[in-house]
Amino acid sequence: MMLPLMIFRSLKQHALSTVITALSIALGGGLLMSVWAVKEQSQAVFTGVNAGFDGVLGARGSKLQLVLNAVFHLEASPGNLAWSDFETIRSNANVALALPLAVGDNYKGYRLVGTLPDLLQQVEFAPGKRFTLPEGEEFFDAGRREAVVGSFAAQKLGLRRGDKFHPYHGLIFNEKDQHAETYVVVGVLEPSNTPADRVIFIPLEGIQKMTGHAAYTATEISAVLVKLKSPAAGFQMDQMYNKQGNRLTFAWPIGQVMMELFKKIGWFDQLLALISYLVALVATASILASIYNSMNERRREIAILRALGARRHTIFGAILFEAATISALGMVFAFAFYAAIMVGAAQVIRAQTGVVLDPWKFSWVMVWAPAALIALGALAGIVPAVKAYRTPVADYLVPVS
Amino acid sequence: MTPLLEIRQLKKSFVTPDGGRHTVVAVDYFAMPEQQQLALSGESGSGKTTFLNLIAGILKPDSGTITLEGSAMSALPEAQRDRLRATKIGYIFQTFNLLQGYTCLENVLLGMSFGPGVDRPFALGLLQRMGLEQKLNHYPRQLSTGQQQRVAVARALANRPRLVLADEPTGNLDHRNATEAIGLIREACRENNAALLLVSHDREVLQRFESVQDLAELNRAARAAEGAV
């Protein structure tokens, strides 16, 4: 019963160092948890996003670049493919659905994606989920200069139904490269928490035949999103396009291709994790330093407690508990740091990719990281606890003059 | 009848800076019956505090035995000496040694927690008896020296000890407070059936005790015997 009081009083007596030490633990713990959770969630989300398709057909090149371009609307297209390639794959008996994409223009930095209306109207971008529009708005007509804007892009650009805009050439915004065509926004998609939120969809021909584009682009597309009838068909397509052919690339399955990205940036993950481990370790070491440094002033108190009958192991345990308590206190604050870092990271990731992370999603790191840091904190208390344990009672019962 | 405290052939020395040994306590025999109130006189540096620390089990003697209520304290391992101290001995220090971060009541309760257990009503009763019922939640720095002394007395008696050791308990008090404190300590020990062993070099304090022994004499006798051997 008196142990919590002893710890509380000691923490109160050393309030400043307690708060600073707890905050350093909070920073270390928060960083550790958020790095882990961002890595875990982003890996799960990015390898799970496939826009409702199994593979992407594109020009010969990197599968990863193809997927990033066609599914995540990032990166430049590795090259174009002919309309006939689209027709060939669309008529393949193993293909359930194939939809062409054409990219190459933007509006104030937000990418224009030319496609067929089916992409927005018929495809489930995730199981049971389709793109939806608010009441009174509509998907674009393939024969008109109409646009459907992703929710995030609409919010950032301030576009609403009825607004008109001129596209700009290229994927990077340059106000000198404005096209003459005027597009009318006919709908703003409800948030889908997918990369589609960051793009502006227009009819395929709009990109193909935009003024200023080379004439050959009218019969070319950037990629084809492909939905297969069976997983086995993927092997056949892989064989046909990647192994036997040398003109096109079939990126399949999309999730596995994305895993390559995480493998490529694995070193960066490890570096971040290492930094967060080090921060946590340094923070834990600060517990050791703060308690150890206060030991000289505490030795009289320890001697008095011992003279009152406190046993050595009671004093030893009290110091360990105190160290663990500082760590636990820090981990309470760590969740605030965690939330702040996660909310910030989720916003950046959403702005850059359209993919939404859930800052409040449970992760086991929220259990093991606090447990590990509290245990580490207690371990850090061992050195000062040993010093306390060895306090010669008689020597410290008299006040230091 | 077995005395409450019995000491035989007790010796304690310390290593001097030049590597030699300096004998501080060399007591051939010393005993106290239950509930006795005894004052030990001795000048500064005569080993009074060392003698009390040996009895309290804070220090371990080089040789000899200390028996408290039939338990050979000096032969016990440290943890058991701690336990015995927490349950059988109350200690009043010259500088009171109150824990500054704790209130009056907590100082008393904390002392209890290492002994038979926290008895809040008894602690409150003791502090009331010391006239501190209005100061329960005051910190030591918020009390006068005399009030701090009374908290120290209450703490020493909190575990219903069989023996109270008082080391120059009036050393930091003025004459009026010293007189009151001695009276209070003696009364409180009597009321709680505890024996009192008080060491002091203050003649006025010593005069208030029926039984007074000179520690220098005790030490001298043993040292003389040592020399004869």
Side-chain angles (χ1 to χ4, degrees):
Chain A
M1 188 195 96
M2 298 305 282
L3 189 63
L5 176 72
M6 285 167 67
I7 292 166
F8 174 71
R9 290 291 190 220
S10 181
L11 294 180
K12 196 177 159 193
Q13 271 178 288
H14 308 97
L16 184 65
S17 68
T18 298
V19 169
I20 290 171
T21 312
L23 282 178
S24 67
I25 288 281
L27 189 62
L31 198 61
L32 175 65
M33 289 195 293
S34 50
V35 163
W36 192 274
V38 166
K39 172 188 154 190
E40 198 177 63
Q41 271 200 54
S42 56
Q43 197 158 328
V45 171
F46 278 88
T47 55
V49 168
N50 59 17
F53 292 88
D54 298 308
V56 182
L57 181 69
R60 196 69 171 179
S62 153
K63 288 180 181 176
L64 181 60
Q65 190 182 356
L66 202 54
V67 169
L68 286 174
N69 180 259
V71 178
F72 289 89
H73 307 301
L74 299 167
E75 295 277 327
S77 164
N80 288 347
L81 62 163
W83 181 255
S84 57
D85 292 322
F86 163 63
E87 288 184 324
T88 305
I89 197 164
R90 184 172 60 177
S91 58
N92 189 304
N94 289 317
V95 172
L97 178 67
L99 290 171
L101 297 179
V103 294
D105 293 306
N106 77 91
Y107 177 58
K108 293 186 177 173
Y110 285 86
R111 186 175 293 210
L112 263 62
V113 175
T115 187
L116 301 180
D118 287 356
L119 180 69
L120 301 178
Q121 290 173 277
Q122 290 191 10
V123 173
E124 285 189 352
F125 61 82
K129 289 184 180 172
R130 289 174 188 273
F131 293 108
T132 55
L133 294 167
E135 192 72 29
E137 299 192 6
E138 56 198 279
F139 294 106
F140 62 75
D141 183 316
R144 293 182 185 163
R145 285 177 181 164
E146 291 178 345
V148 170
V149 187
S151 59
F152 186 78
Q155 182 199 335
K156 292 293 177 188
L157 294 168
L159 288 176
R160 286 181 299 181
R161 179 180 161 81
D163 288 347
K164 293 175 181 174
F165 66 90
H166 293 284
Y168 292 83
H169 185 64
L171 295 177
I172 297 165
F173 175 58
N174 182 346
E175 59 184 15
K176 292 178 187 168
D177 295 336
Q178 193 179 56
H179 286 297
E181 286 86 345
T182 304
Y183 277 80
V184 180
V185 177
V186 292
V188 173
L189 293 173
E190 298 283 9
S192 65
N193 294 340
T194 70
D197 291 347
R198 291 177 57 254
V199 297
I200 300 168
F201 293 98
I202 64 168
L204 183 69
E205 281 193 9
I207 298 280
Q208 287 177 315
K209 296 178 180 172
M210 195 81 76
T211 53
H213 284 185
Y216 61 83
T217 61
T219 56
E220 288 187 346
I221 54 175
S222 304
V224 183
L225 294 169
V226 181
K227 190 170 179 61
L228 301 168
K229 286 182 177 169
S230 71
F235 292 102
Q236 291 173 17
M237 307 290 265
D238 180 48
Q239 188 73 17
M240 188 167 80
Y241 286 108
N242 300 332
K243 297 196 170 73
Q244 293 170 355
N246 60 5
R247 202 169 52 80
L248 301 173
T249 293
F250 185 63
W252 168 89
I254 290 172
Q256 199 170 313
V257 173
M258 283 306 292
M259 274 305 290
E260 283 176 28
L261 172 67
F262 287 96
K263 280 181 193 162
K264 281 181 183 172
I265 60 167
W267 65 270
F268 183 66
D269 261 355
Q270 285 171 349
L271 184 68
L272 274 183
L274 185 68
I275 291 169
S276 58
Y277 288 140
L278 283 176
V279 171
L281 203 65
V282 169
T284 313
S286 71
I287 295 182
L288 188 155
S290 83
I291 299 182
Y292 193 86
N293 288 340
S294 68
M295 281 318 293
N296 279 344
E297 60 179 273
R298 290 177 181 212
R299 283 184 134 184
R300 179 137 191 262
E301 189 171 295
I302 290 166
I304 295 169
L305 290 169
R306 294 269 291 111
L308 293 176
R311 272 163 264 183
R312 281 186 195 271
H313 65 74
T314 306
I315 300 296
F316 184 86
I319 300 289
L320 282 197
F321 267 112
E322 185 178 328
T325 304
I326 293 174
S327 204
L329 205 62
M331 286 315 294
V332 172
F333 294 129
F335 279 96
F337 276 103
Y338 169 80
I341 295 170
M342 283 301 283
V343 167
Q347 278 176 357
V348 169
I349 289 171
R350 187 181 174 210
Q352 296 299 317
T353 68
V355 169
V356 174
L357 302 189
D358 178 6
W360 317 115
K361 191 179 177 188
F362 173 78
S363 165
W364 280 104
V365 75
M366 295 175 179
V367 176
W368 69 254
L373 276 171
I374 291 169
L376 216 56
L379 277 178
I382 286 180
V383 175
V386 167
K387 194 171 180 181
Y389 182 91
R390 289 181 175 165
T391 297
V393 181
D395 293 355
Y396 285 91
L397 275 177
V398 286
V400 178
S401 56
Chain B
M1 187 179 163
T2 312
L4 171 71
L5 173 69
E6 190 172 40
I7 291 170
R8 290 178 186 276
Q9 308 294 329
L10 184 69
K11 194 174 170 190
K12 180 68 183 174
S13 58
F14 293 102
V15 178
T16 57
D18 60 6
R21 290 201 80 87
H22 171 60
T23 301
V24 180
V25 173
V27 174
D28 194 29
Y29 183 80
F30 176 83
M32 276 184 76
E34 302 241 2
Q35 297 178 38
Q36 188 191 13
Q37 298 200 343
L38 173 70
L40 267 183
S41 63
E43 295 306 314
S44 295
S46 62
K48 301 189 296 291
T49 301
T50 303
F51 187 56
L52 291 192
N53 282 344
L54 286 165
I55 294 171
I58 291 170
L59 289 176
K60 199 168 167 57
D62 298 340
S63 59
T65 58
I66 300 169
T67 308
L68 181 69
E69 243 195 348
S71 298
M73 192 160 188
S74 49
L76 295 174
E78 187 186 60
Q80 287 184 41
R81 290 205 310 273
D82 292 339
R83 177 78 188 157
L84 204 65
R85 178 166 67 252
T87 52
K88 307 271 186 201
I89 296 173
Y91 208 142
I92 303 168
F93 305 91
Q94 179 180 350
T95 50
F96 317 140
N97 279 344
L98 295 179
L99 295 159
Q100 297 300 314
Y102 298 77
T103 64
C104 289
L105 180 59
E106 286 167 352
N107 261 283
V108 177
L109 293 176
L110 199 62
M112 285 176 155
S113 70
F114 304 123
V118 172
D119 183 345
R120 196 180 173 86
F122 186 67
L124 288 170
L126 277 171
L127 286 166
Q128 198 173 9
R129 169 71 184 82
M130 300 296 153
L132 294 167
E133 62 272 27
Q134 303 299 324
K135 308 282 182 186
L136 299 178
N137 295 316
H138 283 57
Y139 289 89
R141 63 179 179 278
Q142 298 169 317
L143 302 177
S144 68
T145 316
Q147 287 169 332
Q148 289 183 42
Q149 170 70 289
R150 281 183 268 156
V151 177
V153 175
R155 187 178 65 181
L157 292 166
N159 286 336
R160 299 179 172 90
R162 308 293 294 139
L163 172 65
V164 171
L165 305 173
D167 185 6
E168 298 275 12
T170 59
N172 280 2
L173 301 178
D174 57 35
H175 176 72
R176 190 171 140 265
N177 271 317
T179 308
E180 274 182 26
I182 291 300
L184 189 65
I185 292 169
R186 294 195 66 180
E187 268 177 48
C189 287
R190 205 173 293 125
E191 287 164 11
N192 288 278
N193 302 319
L196 171 66
L197 176 59
L198 179 145
V199 299
S200 178
H201 68 277
D202 186 336
R203 287 182 183 282
E204 286 191 35
V205 170
L206 297 170
Q207 279 168 6
R208 300 193 57 184
F209 280 79
E210 297 77 27
S211 307
V212 178
Q213 283 195 38
D214 184 1
L215 183 61
E217 283 295 325
L218 283 172
N219 266 333
R220 207 168 10 245
R223 282 178 187 162
E226 250 182 7
V229 173

